[in-house]
Amino acid sequence: MDHFLYRSGTLHAEDVALSDIAQVIGTPFYCYSTATLTRHYQLFTEALSPLPHLVCFAIKSLSNVAVLKTLGNLGAGMDVVSAGEYMRAKAAGVPGDKIVFSGVGKTREEMRIALEGGIRQFNVESEPEMRALSEVASSMGVIAPIAIRVNPDVDARTHEKIATGKSENKFGIPIARASEVYAEAARLPGLDVVGIDVHIGSQLTELSPFEQAYLKVADLTHRLRAEGHDIRRLDLGGGLGIPYARNNEAPPLPTDYGALIKRTVGDLGCEIEIEPGRLISGNSGVLVSRVIYVKNGEGRDFLILDAAMNDLVRPSMYGAHHDIVAVEEPAAGTEQQPYDVVGPVCETGDTFAKARPLPPLAEGDLVAFRSAGAYGSVMASEYNTRPLIPEVLVKGDHYAVIRARPTFEEILARDTVPEWL
Ligand code: LLP
């Protein structure tokens, strides 16, 4: 459920008409709904209660500081994967003891920044990383709390580019070697082993891969405790999928996911951490774009939009489906017709959808890509020197631009020309 609905014939974000925002700030733009973000975050906290838990929002899915502050104010923790994301969490006022640091290649500099600013735990992904963290923490005279990410060798049955839990993936240490690696962690100075971390992939549409992974984590918890480790936290990662195409997919609900967590690891007496990104941010955002031209091609009509693959890369990168709707509600009974929906970027990959049934659209009409809150704006680039598009946050009947569209002068000012030219 989200808060993007037609009212009086126009698609609204909560109580604000998307066409009104378009008129003021121009297109394209991303628009997020506070009520949807809030609701999705709360679904997780309700699903995990009464277990002691912390829902750490995966910042990589949507990193605008205003969004982070919205979630942080509700009590959310944050999952970061770079110093930049750590800075964003801090800028949003999230305390260090609610920030977990994931990622397969943390640099010593990133470790230092997080240790200085305060961190709940590092999710360590390899032995070399663990040794580096031990050195950095020791040299600073502090103790780094760590969980070790184990790779459970489970097939997440999702898109190959976003599956992370198979042994051939680059993530975590093989679960079979956990005893050895935890023993070394316990010996190293500057580290405090607090738990186990696992994350098997993204956009999972079934619960069984989670179940297989979490049962392995439960076993491992018993084993490591018997070996003398004080395992008190389990970070179970993110990955719960969302419905991208209406009436088509029905991924499991957070309540079912919560029940699964309770069933598999709920009696271990551990504090549970999860790192959802997409389920909180995905359906909380839309990308609004305007039709520049309708071009009649050979046997097909092209809808040429002012948004392109640089603004929303998921369709060209993963073949992902995003529902596209007209901002002005079509009259009941309007016949749909197929369009190839494309952007202005100079490559064929800049295609959002082929033969997509849509109501008849004309130059100047507005369309909205649904489910664009997660991995939309954060993956955008300035390819073709197209300015990064603005982000807007709606709350009730008001909205704010939370990232402005850069001017061409600002973009050009980032380049410097050497004095020999
Ligand atoms: N935790 C870790 C360690 C992760 O690597 C990820 C996502 C998450 C949490 C959050 O997963 P989520 O709940 O959002 O599924 N760009 C791709 C998705 C990449 C996901 C990477 N890791 C896409 O557009 O589908």
Side-chain angles (χ1 to χ4, degrees):
M1 139 121 206
D2 59 50
H3 293 76
F4 297 95
L5 297 170
Y6 287 109
R7 290 207 198 158
S8 324
T10 302
L11 192 63
H12 280 58
E14 304 189 22
D15 300 330
V16 182
L18 292 171
S19 48
D20 288 349
I21 303 176
Q23 204 162 20
V24 176
I25 70 165
T27 53
F29 63 91
Y30 278 100
C31 177
Y32 312 120
S33 150
T34 299
T36 315
L37 288 164
T38 303
R39 180 180 147 77
H40 289 165
Y41 166 73
Q42 283 168 346
L43 287 177
F44 278 115
T45 54
E46 284 160 18
L48 291 180
S49 295
L51 292 179
H53 68 269
L54 184 66
V55 176
C56 297
F57 175 60
I59 291 189
K60 64 163 75 70
S61 72
L62 174 54
S63 63
N64 189 291
V65 173
V67 168
L68 304 185
K69 206 167 167 71
T70 301
L71 293 169
N73 287 350
L74 299 169
M78 299 288 153
D79 169 46
V80 306
V81 292
S82 67
E85 286 191 354
Y86 178 84
M87 302 299 217
R88 285 183 176 275
K90 294 292 276 201
V94 178
D97 63 6
K98 283 187 162 177
I99 304 175
V100 301
F101 203 143
S102 302
V104 74
K106 301 171 203 78
T107 64
R108 285 173 164 76
E109 179 60 9
E110 289 180 313
M111 293 169 179
R112 199 186 53 71
I113 290 171
L115 284 168
E116 233 162 49
I119 190 82
R120 177 181 180 84
Q121 104 205 6
F122 290 92
N123 289 333
V124 171
E125 297 221 16
S126 67
E127 288 147 292
E129 185 198 353
M130 182 170 89
R131 292 170 199 143
L133 182 58
S134 165
E135 276 170 31
V136 174
S138 302
S139 73
M140 294 170 69
V142 298
I143 300 289
I146 66 163
I148 297 176
R149 177 167 177 182
V150 293
N151 186 323
D153 195 20
V154 163
D155 183 356
R157 309 223 283 198
T158 183
H159 192 287
E160 59 166 335
K161 287 193 184 162
I162 53 176
T164 55
K166 287 288 285 173
S167 53
E168 69 253 32
N169 301 134
K170 67 181 174 183
F171 300 97
I173 57 149
I175 199 161
R177 293 199 47 239
S179 288
E180 204 184 311
V181 180
Y182 271 83
E184 183 180 350
R187 283 194 304 270
L188 284 172
L191 302 183
D192 177 23
V193 179
V194 299
I196 305 172
D197 171 45
V198 72
H199 169 81
I200 56 172
S202 193
Q203 185 56 13
L204 271 70
T205 51
E206 317 166 51
L207 285 181
S208 55
F210 288 118
E211 178 152 23
Q212 289 168 40
Y214 297 170
L215 287 171
K216 289 189 178 188
V217 167
D219 272 356
L220 182 63
T221 307
H222 291 301
R223 180 146 46 98
L224 292 176
R225 281 178 171 167
E227 290 165 6
H229 302 286
D230 180 14
I231 302 299
R232 46 200 191 272
R233 279 186 205 157
L234 299 180
D235 183 332
L236 302 175
L240 197 57
I242 61 168
Y244 275 98
R246 256 122 254 267
N247 318 320
N248 208 353
E249 301 157 314
L253 300 172
T255 36
D256 301 328
Y257 178 66
L260 166 74
I261 289 177
K262 288 175 189 165
R263 203 164 63 238
T264 50
V265 297
D267 60 357
L268 295 170
C270 286
E271 188 175 7
I272 303 297
E273 296 160 342
I274 55 170
E275 304 168 349
R278 192 188 314 262
L279 200 135
I280 294 179
S281 53
N283 283 318
S284 301
V286 294
L287 164 62
V288 178
S289 176
R290 204 178 279 284
V291 177
I292 312 179
Y293 300 114
V294 181
K295 170 167 154 175
N296 306 117
E298 190 98 20
R300 63 191 66 222
D301 289 335
F302 293 100
L303 204 60
I304 304 176
L305 302 181
D306 64 0
M309 64 187 288
N310 69 299
D311 304 309
L312 177 66
V313 78
R314 302 193 70 259
S316 60
M317 190 157 180
Y318 311 112
H321 172 99
H322 284 264
D323 272 356
I324 301 170
V325 297
V327 168
E328 293 312 317
E329 188 174 21
T334 303
E335 286 249 340
Q336 299 203 316
Q337 63 182 83
Y339 286 105
D340 281 13
V341 186
V342 302
V345 162
C346 305
E347 51 183 289
T348 305
D350 186 23
T351 299
F352 291 118
K354 285 202 162 143
R356 177 70 62 89
L358 289 169
L361 287 158
E363 238 175 88
D365 285 349
L366 292 171
V367 296
F369 289 79
R370 306 199 52 131
S371 315
Y375 307 108
S377 168
V378 288
M379 293 180 79
S381 75
E382 285 180 344
Y383 187 36
N384 281 204
T385 308
R386 294 166 45 84
L388 285 181
I389 67 178
E391 296 179 289
V392 170
L393 182 64
V394 169
K395 183 170 196 241
D397 62 3
H398 52 284
Y399 72 89
V401 175
I402 56 174
R403 190 183 69 195
R405 196 187 307 278
T407 62
F408 290 118
E409 290 69 30
E410 282 164 343
I411 293 175
L412 292 179
R414 294 202 304 259
D415 291 9
T416 45
V417 177
E419 27 93 6
W420 67 79
L421 286 174

